[in-house]
Amino acid sequence: MRLTNDELYRLIDEKRDTVDFPYFSQEMLTPIFNSEYISYVDKISRLPESEPQRARIAPLISMSELPGSRDIQGSVLNRAMKVLSVAADYSFECRGETRIITRPVTPLTSDAYGVALDDPNSSPEDHFPSYIENSRGSGRVIRILSRSQPIKIYLTYIKYPEPVDFMNDPGGYMEVDRLAQEEIVSQLVSLLSAIIPDGRYQAFKNEENT
């Protein structure tokens, strides 16, 4: 069973009995914990899907169905910490019939994109579309490269976790499971026990007080 935010905070505080780091109030610990939470999700997201640890962040995996467009942008990408896959529906004519087929859209490196621009034979097309991710004035953008515009887009991604608030939401729960909570606590305790002796804790306190 998952720990509430209050139980999580108490667990971290109990670790002070075995690991040497000073007391942190709920308010002070919240931003440090959330930073480690995101770091943990990022680390686990880099593991192959076959790894058991990958299941720890399964609650953070989302899929959005989007209307056909050349570009994916806006709030859905703002929620995406890491894009896992992109697929799109295209219309194909086959023996006089129109069929809608879902095709995977593969990521394209900047170098490969440059080659595709210069060589028509290398250009992505509807059977084998690609995408390139960059940023514009409005934020992150995924540009889908194919001959025709997709009819529908499917974006699967790891979303940014909801922040933990020890002070204002003690009865709340993290989205991840108990094992992930314990691993994040261990990661946090290792960080705190490492930064205290070398003086970074005092620098952190000074920054918090400014």
Side-chain angles (χ1 to χ4, degrees):
M1 178 179 287
R2 290 177 297 167
L3 299 173
T4 66
N5 291 343
D6 183 62
E7 290 170 332
L8 199 59
Y9 175 77
R10 293 176 184 276
L11 175 62
I12 296 168
D13 193 50
E14 288 171 4
K15 298 292 184 180
R16 293 194 299 124
D17 294 336
T18 55
V19 181
D20 185 22
F21 63 86
Y23 169 78
F24 285 83
S25 68
Q26 287 114 322
E27 182 179 13
M28 193 173 186
L29 188 63
T30 292
I32 309 174
F33 183 89
N34 284 318
S35 176
E36 286 305 296
Y37 188 6
I38 290 176
S39 174
Y40 171 84
V41 173
D42 179 65
K43 178 179 68 176
I44 297 299
S45 73
R46 298 174 189 275
L47 297 175
E49 289 187 38
S50 58
E51 292 291 332
Q53 296 96 319
R54 184 68 178 268
R56 305 270 202 279
I57 60 171
L60 300 176
I61 297 177
S62 296
M63 190 185 86
S64 295
E65 291 188 13
L66 307 170
S69 175
R70 292 285 188 184
D71 294 332
I72 305 173
Q73 56 188 326
S75 60
V76 65
L77 272 190
N78 293 336
R79 295 193 301 270
M81 182 174 173
K82 180 179 181 179
V83 173
L84 297 179
S85 68
V86 181
D89 286 347
Y90 289 92
S91 175
F92 296 96
E93 294 293 331
C94 180
R95 297 180 180 178
E97 294 184 3
T98 300
R99 299 178 60 191
I100 305 300
I101 299 176
T102 303
R103 298 296 303 159
V105 185
T106 58
L108 202 63
T109 65
S110 297
D111 289 344
Y113 179 50
V115 171
L117 289 176
D118 290 335
D119 182 3
N121 294 322
S122 300
S123 297
E125 42 94 8
D126 293 354
H127 284 92
F128 301 100
S130 297
Y131 75 85
I132 186 166
E133 184 173 356
N134 52 37
S135 60
R136 297 180 190 167
S138 57
R140 293 169 66 191
V141 177
I142 287 178
R143 178 72 170 176
I144 294 182
L145 309 171
S146 54
R147 288 199 180 129
S148 60
Q149 179 173 296
I151 298 169
K152 186 181 288 186
I153 302 168
Y154 307 92
L155 179 69
T156 304
Y157 58 94
I158 298 172
K159 71 183 187 72
Y160 281 101
E162 292 294 327
V164 171
D165 190 338
F166 293 121
M167 185 170 66
N168 298 311
D169 189 20
Y173 290 91
M174 297 175 68
E175 295 161 282
V176 294
D177 65 18
R178 173 70 174 267
L179 286 174
Q181 287 181 306
E182 292 176 350
E183 289 176 347
I184 295 166
V185 168
S186 296
Q187 182 175 299
L188 175 68
V189 168
S190 296
L191 170 74
L192 295 178
S193 62
I195 68 173
I196 304 312
D198 71 9
R200 277 182 283 169
Y201 171 64
Q202 187 60 48
F204 175 81
K205 282 178 62 178
N206 292 339
E207 182 178 334
E208 285 286 298
N209 293 329
T210 56

